[in-house]
């Protein structure tokens, strides 16, 4: 028997001498399941439940949708509502998961803030209900599980390892204060992505399990984890590792070994300076490194011969630490994109002229400095001299400084011309944030007049430098060069950095990619 459309949407027809006729058409019920499910993937759980009440066919869609997302922020009135009201919402989700039976879940996301955060006398055991939802998701063979739970209690929840034993699970994200137990070492996992935040891991065997049992894992992110001191990961499949644990307990020993690892992000702050810590890397195919925070007491990074991009934002407190930084830079002979934050730049340039073996292949350089002071210029010349392939330069600087040694008007364009810097012939893109003095303006003048392949230049300056900028604009330049001047009224409030970077991105008129830099 042919399926007749249900009466949902209204279409009006009007013929000659005939009254308007209204025909109701249920377009949603006639859609194939994959298309309807795709539409539901953009709808929050509250609206999905409402749609499920519209018709029997819509109920089938709402019970079988492969994506369920419950965001507490979608129910602002629940924060201080009575427990009975919250129980209604929880019961609705209970029924939805129970009626799904074993229909497969592709993604289950829940963001929940317990009632006792807002109401002191709450008697609801919401943590237990949340765990039952997780069990139901595992029963439905979930592939992506995302738990963002704001736990408001002194004792962290003990989270069982049953999730890791789910064969269908491919991605797991846990953001909650809980104690995570290590799964059995004789188990196996099909996880490809694991993201843990604010999780307490007390057993080092958990990382042994990742190394031995997660044969498919490609992404591992650890944010603000605590409890464990020794982290050893040896993976033949891992491609991306993020370790952002600035407050991890003292004596941290981080050992990473992965032949396929291409992206590594480390942020660690040694707040216990008297405790020993170590970093050992065996990542021969690493391509991208972001390292910020503090150095470890001991680090062995090996030879990073495949590294293409490095961003360093490390605290340098002594000459010994400068030697370590220089060793790290020398371990990356093939790096093409180098981003140096303020502490690193200050340490490198203050040490004076140095060997430049590590930077011969750099195409993109970003340096943040307090200012282009006279006592830094000779070291910067030496730095530039070792970069014959440089084609993109971004010089960030602080606002006008009143440092007693901050003389910054001793080097004019003729000085820069006399240095015969090889990269000037290949330079295509440059962004300069000017500090006080004329050194930065004179460097910009030299580049404008001698960089024959220059395509675009952006100069960020203070209102006080407007007159000098007007004269700079009169300088001769490459025939196809575009020069953009930006007067920044808020320099010195730390708001100029993002503004200047936005200007640079607008100047490029396309997202910055490695291919565009190296071409």
């Amino acid at each position: 028997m042919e399926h007749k459309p249900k009466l949902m949407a209204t279409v009006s027809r009007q013929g000659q001498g005939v009254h308007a006729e209204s025909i109701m058409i249920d377009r949603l019920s006639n859609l194939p399941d994959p298309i309807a499910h795709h539409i539901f993937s953009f709808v929050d759980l509250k609206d999905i439940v409402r749609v499920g009440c519209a018709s029997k066919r819509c109920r089938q869609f709402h019970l079988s949708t492969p994506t369920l997302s419950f965001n507490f922020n979608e129910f602002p009135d629940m924060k201080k509502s009575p427990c009975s009201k919250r129980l209604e919402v929880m019961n609705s989700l209970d029924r939805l998961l129970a009626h799904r039976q074993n229909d497969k879940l592709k993604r289950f996301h829940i963001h929940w803030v317990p009632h006792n955060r807002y109401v002191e006398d709450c008697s609801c055991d919401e943590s237990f209900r949340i765990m039952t939802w997780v069990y139901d998701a595992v029963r439905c063979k979930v592939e992506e599980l995302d738990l963002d739970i704001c736990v408001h209690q002194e004792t962290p929840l003990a989270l069982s390892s049953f999730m890791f034993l789910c064969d269908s699970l491919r991605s797991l994200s846990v953001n909650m204060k809980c104690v995570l137990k290590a799964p059995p070492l004789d188990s196996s996992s099909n996880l490809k992505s694991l993201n843990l935040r604010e999780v307490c891991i007390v057993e080092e065997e958990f990382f042994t399990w990742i190394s031995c049992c997660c044969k498919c894992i490609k992404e591992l992110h650890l944010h603000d984890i605590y409890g464990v001191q020794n982290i050893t990961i040896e993976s033949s499949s891992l491609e991306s590792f993020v370790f952002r644990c600035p407050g991890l307990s003292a004596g941290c020993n981080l050992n990473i070994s992965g032949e396929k690892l291409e992206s590594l992000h480390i942020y660690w702050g040694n707040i216990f300076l008297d405790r020993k810590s170590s970093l050992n890397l065996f990542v021969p195919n690493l391509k991208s490194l972001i390292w910020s925070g503090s150095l470890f007491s001991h680090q062995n990074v090996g030879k990073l011969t495949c590294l293409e991009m490095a961003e360093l934002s490390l605290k340098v407190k002594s000459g010994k630490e400068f030697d370590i930084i220089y060793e790290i830079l020398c371990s990356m002979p093939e790096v093409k994109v180098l981003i140096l934050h303020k502490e690193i730049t200050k340490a490198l340039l203050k040490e004076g002229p140095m060997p430049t073996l590590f930077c011969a292949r750099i195409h993109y350089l970003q340096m943040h400095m307090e200012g282009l002071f006279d006592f830094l210029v000779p070291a910067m010349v030496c730095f530039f001299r070792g970069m014959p392939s440089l084609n993109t330069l971004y010089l960030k600087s602080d606002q006008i400084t009143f440092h007693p040694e901050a003389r910054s008007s001793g080097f004019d364009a003729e000085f820069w011309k006399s240095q015969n810097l090889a990269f000037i012939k290949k330079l295509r893109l440059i962004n300069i944030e000017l500090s006080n003095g004329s050194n930065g303006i004179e460097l910009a003048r030299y580049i404008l007049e001698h960089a024959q392949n220059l395509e675009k230049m952006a100069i960020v300056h203070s209102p006080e430098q407007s007159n000098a900028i007007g004269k700079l604009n009169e300088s001769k330049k490459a025939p196809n060069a575009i020069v953009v001047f930006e007067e920044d009224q808020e320099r010195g409030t730390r708001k100029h950095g993002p503004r200047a970077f936005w200007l640079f991105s607008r100047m490029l008129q396309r997202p910055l990619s490695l291919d565009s830099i190296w071409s």
Side-chain angles (χ1 to χ4, degrees), residues 192-369:
K192 293 184 178 181
S193 175
L194 178 60
N195 189 331
L196 303 177
R197 185 185 296 268
E198 295 190 358
V199 171
C200 178
I201 301 175
V202 295
E203 301 172 333
E204 296 177 6
E205 288 78 8
F206 181 82
F207 300 103
T208 304
W209 175 80
I210 293 178
S211 301
C212 299
C213 304
C214 298
K215 301 298 184 181
C216 304
I217 193 163
K218 296 182 182 297
E219 297 180 357
L220 175 60
H221 293 191
L222 304 177
H223 296 260
D224 298 320
I225 65 169
Y226 58 101
V228 70
Q229 292 186 349
N230 299 315
I231 300 175
T232 298
I233 297 175
E234 299 176 354
S235 174
S236 59
S237 61
L238 192 63
E239 297 177 0
S240 173
F241 179 54
V242 175
F243 179 81
R244 291 184 58 86
C245 303
L248 192 63
S249 57
C252 172
N253 299 300
L254 181 60
N255 306 290
I256 306 297
S257 176
E259 294 187 356
K260 290 187 177 180
L261 192 66
E262 295 185 354
S263 176
L264 177 61
H265 185 175
I266 298 175
Y267 176 36
W268 180 72
N270 186 7
I271 58 177
F272 302 95
L273 300 178
D274 57 335
R275 306 292 180 87
K276 298 297 182 181
S277 59
S278 65
L279 171 67
N280 293 289
L281 301 179
F282 176 71
V283 285
N285 295 303
L286 191 68
K287 293 183 179 179
S288 174
L289 172 64
I290 300 176
W291 190 354
S292 56
S294 301
L295 286 166
F296 291 76
S297 302
H298 169 76
Q299 37 262 310
N300 177 20
V301 300
K303 280 293 183 182
L304 306 176
T305 54
C306 293
L307 195 68
E308 297 174 350
M309 192 284 288
E311 179 176 350
L312 301 179
S313 178
L314 295 167
K315 297 177 182 178
V316 184
K317 301 177 181 178
S318 65
K320 180 181 179 181
E321 291 185 338
F322 166 77
D323 294 337
I324 296 173
I325 295 294
Y326 187 72
E327 286 182 15
I328 294 172
L329 289 171
C330 288
S331 69
M332 47 182 79
E334 300 295 323
V335 68
K336 297 177 176 63
V337 176
L338 181 61
I339 300 174
L340 302 177
H341 289 253
K342 189 174 177 179
E343 292 284 338
I344 300 289
T345 302
K346 181 179 179 180
L348 286 175
L349 298 183
K350 267 197 169 184
E351 291 294 324
M354 68 195 80
T356 53
L357 297 177
F358 68 86
C359 56
R361 296 183 181 273
I362 291 177
H363 288 227
Y364 174 97
L365 174 66
Q366 177 177 318
M367 299 176 68
H368 183 187
M369 62 191 73

Side-chain angles (χ1 to χ4, degrees), residues 437-449:
S438 62
N439 283 344
I441 295 175
E442 291 298 314
L443 174 59
R445 187 191 311 279
Y446 161 70
I447 293 174
L448 273 178
E449 294 179 353

Side-chain angles (χ1 to χ4, degrees), residues 73-111:
N73 293 328
E74 296 169 359
F75 301 87
D77 56 327
M78 284 183 58
K79 292 182 179 180
K80 296 186 179 181
S81 60
C83 293
S84 58
K85 181 66 174 179
R86 293 173 66 94
L87 282 172
E88 291 179 7
V89 176
M90 291 190 288
N91 290 337
S92 296
L93 188 54
D94 282 344
R95 288 192 298 269
L96 173 61
L97 290 171
H99 291 158
R100 285 185 62 90
Q101 298 180 357
N102 291 323
D103 284 338
K104 190 173 182 180
L105 261 177
K106 181 175 179 59
R107 184 174 186 269
F108 181 64
H109 164 76
I110 180 167
H111 169 67

Side-chain angles (χ1 to χ4, degrees), residues 112-181:
W112 188 268
V113 181
H115 202 198
N116 58 7
R117 180 172 181 177
Y118 305 102
V119 179
E120 294 182 357
D121 58 348
C122 175
S123 59
C124 299
D125 187 3
E126 297 183 354
S127 300
F128 173 77
R129 300 289 288 270
I130 293 170
M131 288 301 101
T132 62
W133 300 336
V134 176
Y135 273 105
D136 285 333
V138 171
R139 173 179 55 80
C140 294
K141 299 180 180 179
V142 64
E143 294 184 11
E144 301 176 24
L145 182 58
D146 186 358
L147 305 178
D148 184 5
I149 314 297
C150 181
V151 178
H152 188 65
Q153 59 188 49
E154 294 182 1
T155 304
L157 292 174
L159 192 61
S160 173
S161 60
F162 72 94
M163 297 178 298
F164 299 104
L165 304 179
C166 177
D167 291 337
S168 62
L169 195 62
R170 299 294 184 270
S171 174
L172 174 62
S173 177
V174 179
N175 181 9
M176 61 186 295
K177 290 184 178 180
C178 63
V179 178
L180 194 60
K181 298 180 180 180

